[in-house]
Amino acid sequence: MPIRNEYKFFEAVEKSFDKATPFTHWDPGILEQIKQCNAVYRMFFPVKIGDKIEVIKAYRVQHSHHKTPCKGGIRFALTVNLDEVMALAALMTYKCAIVNVPFGGAKGGIAIDPKKYSAYDLEKITRRYTSELIKKNFIGPGTDVPAPDYGTGEREMAWILDTYLSMRPGEIDALGCVTGKPVTQGGVRGRKEATGLGVYYGIREVCNIPDVMKRLGLAMGVEGKTVVVQGLGNVGFHAAKFFREGGAKVIGLAEFEGAITNPAGLNEEEVFQHRKNTGSILNFPGATNITRSVDALELECDILIPAALENVINGKNAPRVKARIIGEAANGPLTPEADEVFIKKGVLVVPDMYLNAGGVTVSYFEWLKNLSHVRYGRMEKRFTENLNTHILGQLEELTGKNVKTKEREFIMHGPEEADLVYSGLEETMITATHEIMACWKSNPTIPDMRTAAYVVAINKVGTSYAELGIFP
Ligand code: GLU
């Protein structure tokens, strides 16, 4: 394939970046340095599959070293190519900057269809990929920390960790070489649902801003809003779950094989089970089938959540999208042409590099846990409970009144790991929302929220470079 055709997604990221730079005041050299991918590692390695030797093509791209380690997931998909990994690595830099996570951006990928391999073969491929990364110093708690992405999960992260541990025996912080691990292998509670939960917190915060809702002609809050989610993977599933639990109505769910809709609302868990049992999302009891999955993007709804792959909404189908808010749970689901359509239509696009940052935020918490070698809440849980019991006892004695049992339990409860992770994530998403919105408000000529998010990110990365003293 000619190289030029490969550079599409990265070009789209560059386009969005260039749209934002006129609203910043950085030296063109600094802007150029921020934009480039600092280190690109493309590798081929042989793996014996059955009685054949397969040559596997894989990548790791470190987009920015303005802060280290670099951070970003590893994707297993046939569609993985250099352009995609570069674009996703760049998005990671901006994403981390926006949510104040002190990492440079990176991304990895292996060009395989994971469904075509047994668990045994996938383990061999993952372990070999990890040793290639180790050889070139492209993994380590202080250099580059991978995580799950499309096609990978806790299982693959555990293999990566085990390979790393066996090649770096005695390295005290080795557990921090990868995140998204199972809890039993140094993972953190709350990581699995983190991206979906972050999507929910982000959209909920946007829906709580009066002038934004007024501009969109929508009522305040998430409650009662209709939501369509494309993709029932880890991110889409959890986003749907938290929207439903937050009082929204998930009226549409889409997967590869088609989509379903029910104006009365869908329960993601039941749909998930149905798909597991029947092999398809279609024919879910009470719902109407939509045979072409992409048509679900055009359903009448308040909030549309594309949570699958990139480029699903483009200049062609964007004019037909009816949602008032589009929350980019996936990375790069909208093309720059789609962005232009939505600016004209007055639709609010809540950008990926901010909205799906929940995953990397909780990865950061996991990494900190690994470096501190202690579970969150272990030191303070009992102390807090004893203190709260004492305060409550004193209040009851002084007032002569008793607090109800449910309230008592809530007040006395000392924080568990998941409580702290959830509240850390909630705080992160709320702060990031207001930073982006404040930037947008301070300069109304900024055309959309994506550009405002880029301005915030560029300013933070630019400050880092400038303060590192790289540029005299
Ligand atoms: N792959 C996820 C992302 O694109 C998570 C990355 C991480 O946790 O490092 O944001």
Side-chain angles (χ1 to χ4, degrees):
M1 188 191 284
I3 280 286
R4 271 223 59 78
N5 287 348
E6 277 206 359
Y7 290 83
K8 277 277 159 57
F9 189 9
F10 188 64
E11 261 176 27
V13 174
E14 287 193 305
K15 250 191 200 168
S16 302
F17 184 99
D18 293 341
K19 207 163 139 187
T21 53
F23 304 102
T24 70
H25 304 286
W26 295 102
D27 179 285
I30 288 198
L31 291 173
E32 187 57 23
Q33 173 58 39
I34 298 174
K35 233 166 122 173
Q36 295 299 338
C37 285
N38 289 5
V40 175
Y41 178 19
R42 191 199 61 180
M43 65 203 96
F44 287 98
F45 52 82
V47 179
K48 191 130 191 239
I49 308 288
D51 54 6
K52 277 208 213 90
I53 293 171
E54 256 188 54
V55 178
I56 308 284
K57 191 176 184 182
Y59 308 87
R60 183 73 184 171
V61 171
Q62 297 175 346
H63 172 259
S64 177
H65 296 137
H66 75 289
K67 287 203 193 293
T68 45
C70 296
K71 189 86 191 77
I74 294 175
R75 180 172 281 213
F76 286 5
L78 256 190
T79 47
V80 161
N81 60 58
L82 182 58
D83 163 61
E84 182 186 70
V85 184
M86 283 169 64
L88 293 167
L91 284 176
M92 286 306 301
T93 294
Y94 308 132
K95 195 184 292 193
C96 290
I98 287 169
V99 289
N100 297 315
V101 163
F103 297 140
K107 203 75 167 199
I110 306 187
I112 53 164
D113 177 358
K115 286 191 210 83
K116 296 229 167 87
Y117 295 87
S118 65
Y120 176 75
D121 289 335
L122 280 177
E123 180 172 349
K124 275 204 284 190
I125 295 170
T126 310
R127 285 183 182 276
R128 179 65 197 252
Y129 174 72
T130 310
S131 39
E132 295 296 326
L133 295 180
I134 296 172
K135 276 197 253 172
K136 289 274 191 285
N137 205 19
F138 263 68
I139 183 172
T143 49
D144 190 346
V145 183
D149 199 83
Y150 188 80
T152 58
E154 289 185 348
R155 181 182 66 169
E156 287 73 16
M157 302 308 116
W159 292 333
I160 292 173
L161 173 68
D162 190 56
T163 311
Y164 188 86
L165 286 173
S166 64
M167 290 174 82
R168 294 264 192 271
E171 194 180 292
I172 183 93
D173 290 328
L175 275 184
C177 75
V178 62
T179 60
K181 303 177 291 286
V183 173
T184 51
Q185 306 300 316
V188 75
R189 288 162 186 84
R191 173 64 183 86
K192 201 168 179 186
E193 64 271 38
T195 311
L197 181 58
V199 167
Y200 169 70
Y201 283 149
I203 296 288
R204 187 192 66 183
E205 201 50 30
V206 165
C207 290
N208 284 338
I209 305 176
D211 48 329
V212 174
M213 288 299 103
K214 202 170 154 207
R215 206 164 1 113
L216 292 168
L218 294 172
M220 292 281 290
V222 148
E223 233 178 298
K225 294 233 168 10
T226 51
V227 181
V228 171
V229 180
Q230 184 224 18
L232 210 52
N234 182 40
V235 179
F237 174 85
H238 284 107
K241 174 179 186 275
F242 292 112
F243 273 113
R244 181 181 54 74
E245 289 176 357
K249 216 187 272 176
V250 181
I251 58 148
L253 286 170
E255 258 298 341
F256 297 108
E257 64 277 9
I260 50 170
T261 175
N262 185 347
L266 293 159
N267 178 305
E268 73 297 328
E269 180 57 43
E270 290 168 9
V271 175
F272 185 82
Q273 286 308 331
H274 166 83
R275 187 166 186 250
K276 215 169 139 190
N277 296 338
T278 66
S280 169
I281 199 171
L282 297 169
N283 303 322
F284 181 72
T288 308
N289 286 340
I290 301 172
T291 16
R292 273 176 10 119
S293 178
V294 282
D295 292 344
L297 299 167
E298 297 167 26
L299 281 169
E300 190 85 52
C301 64
D302 298 319
I303 303 167
L304 174 64
I305 306 287
L309 283 172
E310 51 261 22
N311 294 345
V312 291
I313 305 178
N314 44 46
K316 250 190 181 162
N317 61 353
R320 298 193 297 268
V321 169
K322 296 172 196 75
R324 299 296 297 142
I325 299 174
I326 301 173
E328 291 188 312
N331 286 310
L334 270 61
T335 64
E337 292 73 34
D339 272 350
E340 293 308 319
V341 172
F342 293 127
I343 291 172
K344 280 199 200 99
K345 283 191 4 174
V347 169
L348 178 70
V349 175
V350 185
D352 48 4
M353 45 200 280
Y354 143 73
L355 194 65
N356 68 27
V360 74
T361 301
V362 177
S363 275
Y364 171 48
F365 301 157
E366 179 176 332
W367 182 74
L368 291 175
K369 174 187 181 179
N370 296 149
L371 298 191
S372 64
H373 300 264
V374 64
R375 165 173 51 84
Y376 287 106
R378 178 166 175 180
M379 303 302 282
E380 65 270 44
K381 180 174 157 52
R382 192 64 49 184
F383 181 84
T384 310
E385 276 181 11
N386 290 342
L387 182 67
N388 291 350
T389 309
H390 190 75
I391 295 171
L392 204 59
Q394 287 291 307
L395 282 175
E396 287 184 336
E397 201 180 302
L398 287 171
T399 57
K401 285 179 186 158
N402 284 335
V403 170
K404 289 194 192 93
T405 316
K406 215 170 157 216
E407 286 303 312
R408 170 182 298 278
E409 275 167 15
F410 183 77
I411 294 169
M412 280 175 30
H413 172 80
E416 309 268 3
E417 183 163 86
D419 299 322
L420 293 168
V421 165
Y422 275 38
S423 88
L425 176 58
E426 187 176 14
E427 163 60 22
T428 302
M429 293 308 293
I430 291 175
T431 305
T433 314
H434 291 287
E435 271 186 38
I436 299 169
M437 289 305 190
C439 168
W440 198 2
K441 219 173 176 175
S442 73
N443 193 340
T445 57
I446 293 178
D448 55 5
M449 193 173 171
R450 188 187 315 280
T451 309
Y454 267 94
V455 171
V456 169
I458 292 168
N459 284 339
K460 287 186 189 175
V461 183
T463 306
S464 248
Y465 272 122
E467 283 172 359
L468 279 173
I470 289 168
F471 298 94

